[in-house]
Amino acid sequence: MRVAMISMHTSPIAQPGSGDAGGMNVYVLSIATQLARKGVDVDIFTRATRPSQGEIVEIEPHLRVINIVAGPYEGLSKEELPTQLAAFSGGMVQFIKCNNLYYDLIHSHYWLSGQVGWLLRDLWGIPLIHTAHTLAAVKNAYRAADDSPESEARRICEQQLSDNADVLVVNTEDEKNELIAHYDANDCHISVITPGADTELFTPGTDRNTERSRRELGIPLHTKVVAFVGRLQKFKGPEVLIRATAELFKRDPQRNLRVVICGGASGETSNVQNYHDLARELGVEHRIRFLDARPPQELVAVYQAADIVAVPSYNESFGLVAMEAQATGTPVVAARVGGLPIAVDHDVTGLLIDGHGASQWADALAQLLDDDERRIHMGEQAVEHAAKFSWAASAQELLKVYEEATKIDMSECHGPRQAAGI
């Protein structure tokens, strides 16, 4: 089987945790890698952002990343990428024609890629599988009050994909229900495939690992540590943790606690300095350590150095950070939103919080920070919980979806289905 994956707006080999790179990058590369190891030939098409990378990047046998030139290499924001959809589509067509390639199906990731996939599906007469990862209607429903809404143009494009993709792949039943509720999607066209975690990379740390990790990160050895990992944008909620930290020290100025926030700016409205300023304004700047985004191989040390990982997002399609943290044996305190109730087993591997108030988050963090026995037991159970999720298992389920999709009769008239909500 040959699969054309499309990840137009961000490369799967980009550094997660800053810019537009995040959990989706990890998802695409991880699932593609496991498919390749099952003998599927996968080409991932993405927009070229620097000429030095070359047109074709060989990742491993059966897996390549193809960099398509569409617009300037740098200085083009995600909001401006719709202007390059035609150029990107044309670049894909030219590459495939020049290399005499064929594909059995297309799998697009995110709505921009989906628009390209929709065009090529009808051009080539092969099935289109689409994974949204995030949805405008859902983000707008759960966004923070002072966060910028997603555009109506994006919502319309997502509606078109919901109406026209042959298969919609989602991470959870909750995400499936959101597609049906907000986009009137046909549940017969939706497949739920739970993502995984790299449980070979993210492993539990010994006391020696924890000490080494803290020394490398410049964190005192004999202190409690709460970590946040992710892009520094309002939707991920880093300010929730900063305000909760201030509340903890307001209650107990002598509390022995350090907070690590690991990630970079994301989007035009994101500014890392704003989070530094907030910590200074609340009087906790000396209690919080800001770290730049780092590759997964280095994130292991951050997770192992932490006693708790906080995931205060306003929505998550799954919650990859929560799963990676648990795989290292670190319990998680997370918002009860999106797929996080699946990623975190409440009161077993961590705590789920309703809402984003500083007081309620301080309460939850204090519960685990002040109860060593409970927290350590949760960490042990977290490893067992994370072991149930693997990228190999996810890829096996996705391969079944692919095999079924290739049986679709593409010779029939394949015009758009009813476009509800536009």
Side-chain angles (χ1 to χ4, degrees):
M1 181 181 290
R2 295 187 61 87
V3 175
M5 278 196 185
I6 308 176
S7 180
M8 176 188 170
H9 83 285
T10 179
S11 172
I13 54 178
Q15 169 66 61
S18 62
D20 294 321
M24 192 189 101
N25 301 66
V26 176
Y27 178 106
V28 172
L29 184 59
S30 299
I31 206 84
T33 298
Q34 292 300 325
L35 287 168
R37 290 173 185 175
K38 295 179 185 298
V40 179
D41 288 304
V42 183
D43 284 342
I44 306 173
F45 292 86
T46 191
R47 195 181 78 85
T49 55
R50 59 179 189 270
S52 60
Q53 205 166 43
E55 184 178 40
I56 301 174
V57 180
E58 299 276 356
I59 304 299
E60 61 175 68
H62 302 291
L63 177 59
R64 307 185 298 178
V65 171
I66 314 299
N67 293 295
I68 300 295
V69 176
Y73 288 111
E74 297 177 349
L76 199 63
S77 70
K78 185 164 67 174
E79 290 71 24
E80 295 171 307
L81 284 179
T83 65
Q84 300 304 315
L85 287 173
F88 187 85
S89 301
M92 279 189 64
V93 170
Q94 184 179 38
F95 176 86
I96 290 164
K97 182 178 180 180
C98 290
N99 290 277
N100 195 30
L101 296 172
Y102 76 92
Y103 295 98
D104 294 293
L105 57 85
I106 300 164
H107 188 169
S108 57
H109 297 270
Y110 198 63
W111 69 275
L112 289 165
S113 302
Q115 290 288 307
V116 175
W118 180 20
L119 169 68
L120 298 181
R121 185 277 303 273
D122 289 340
L123 181 65
W124 295 335
I126 59 177
L128 170 64
I129 288 85
H130 178 66
T131 303
H133 294 279
T134 62
L135 294 163
V138 176
K139 292 189 76 171
N140 286 341
Y142 291 100
R143 69 186 175 89
D146 57 346
D147 199 3
S148 302
E150 295 294 322
S151 70
E152 178 64 6
R154 172 181 171 179
R155 190 203 67 79
I156 290 172
C157 288
E158 289 172 344
Q159 182 68 66
Q160 292 168 335
L161 291 168
S162 175
D163 295 336
N164 289 279
D166 297 288
V167 182
L168 298 166
V169 171
V170 298
N171 295 325
T172 63
E173 286 290 337
D174 184 73
E175 193 176 355
K176 174 180 176 179
N177 294 334
E178 296 280 15
L179 258 177
I180 294 170
H182 292 284
Y183 295 86
D184 197 28
N186 185 338
D187 62 355
C188 295
H189 295 287
I190 304 175
S191 292
V192 180
I193 298 177
T194 304
D198 188 342
T199 53
E200 294 181 5
L201 173 63
F202 297 101
T203 56
T206 63
D207 290 342
R208 183 174 296 179
N209 291 142
T210 299
E211 289 183 13
R212 184 176 67 248
S213 297
R214 290 191 177 188
R215 289 184 200 280
E216 291 174 354
L217 297 172
I219 300 170
L221 297 181
H222 303 294
T223 186
K224 298 290 175 59
V225 178
V226 177
F228 169 95
V229 174
R231 289 173 288 171
L232 299 189
Q233 58 179 187
K234 290 184 185 236
F235 200 70
K236 295 292 183 181
E239 76 287 345
V240 175
L241 178 57
I242 295 172
R243 294 186 186 280
T245 301
E247 178 64 23
L248 286 169
F249 282 107
K250 178 181 176 182
R251 298 176 184 179
D252 180 7
Q254 302 307 314
R255 179 178 283 278
N256 190 14
L257 173 67
R258 293 293 185 277
V259 172
V260 174
I261 295 180
C262 179
S266 174
E268 293 184 333
T269 60
S270 177
N271 186 336
V272 174
Q273 188 58 45
N274 291 343
Y275 297 103
H276 287 267
D277 293 343
L278 178 61
R280 187 176 303 108
E281 176 189 326
L282 296 174
V284 291
E285 71 275 13
H286 60 297
R287 308 284 190 174
I288 298 177
R289 178 82 185 277
F290 287 89
L291 303 175
D292 292 334
R294 50 198 59 205
Q297 293 78 7
E298 295 179 27
L299 274 183
V300 177
V302 177
Y303 292 134
Q304 291 180 345
D307 293 285
I308 298 169
V309 168
V311 185
S313 303
Y314 285 87
N315 195 261
E316 288 284 351
S317 60
F318 177 59
L320 185 61
V321 165
M323 192 56 66
E324 291 174 348
Q326 291 171 105
T328 65
T330 304
V332 173
V333 175
R336 193 191 296 272
V337 296
L340 285 169
I342 294 174
V344 180
D345 191 349
H346 177 61
D347 214 24
V348 177
T349 68
L351 298 176
L352 294 168
I353 311 303
D354 295 304
H356 296 82
S359 293
Q360 61 190 146
W361 273 79
D363 290 343
L365 292 169
Q367 281 185 48
L368 298 189
L369 290 170
D370 298 338
D371 190 338
D372 292 346
E373 184 177 349
R374 183 186 182 196
R375 188 185 65 256
I376 292 169
H377 184 55
M378 278 187 169
E380 293 169 348
Q381 295 178 107
V383 176
E384 296 178 14
H385 178 64
K388 300 173 187 175
F389 299 84
S390 74
W391 287 115
S394 301
Q396 186 61 46
E397 291 302 307
L398 184 58
L399 186 54
K400 292 178 184 176
V401 171
Y402 285 177
E403 289 169 346
E404 285 299 312
T406 57
K407 298 175 185 177
I408 296 173
D409 184 1
M410 301 301 293
S411 65
E412 296 179 0
C413 178
H414 218 96
R417 295 191 288 269
Q418 179 65 36
I422 297 180

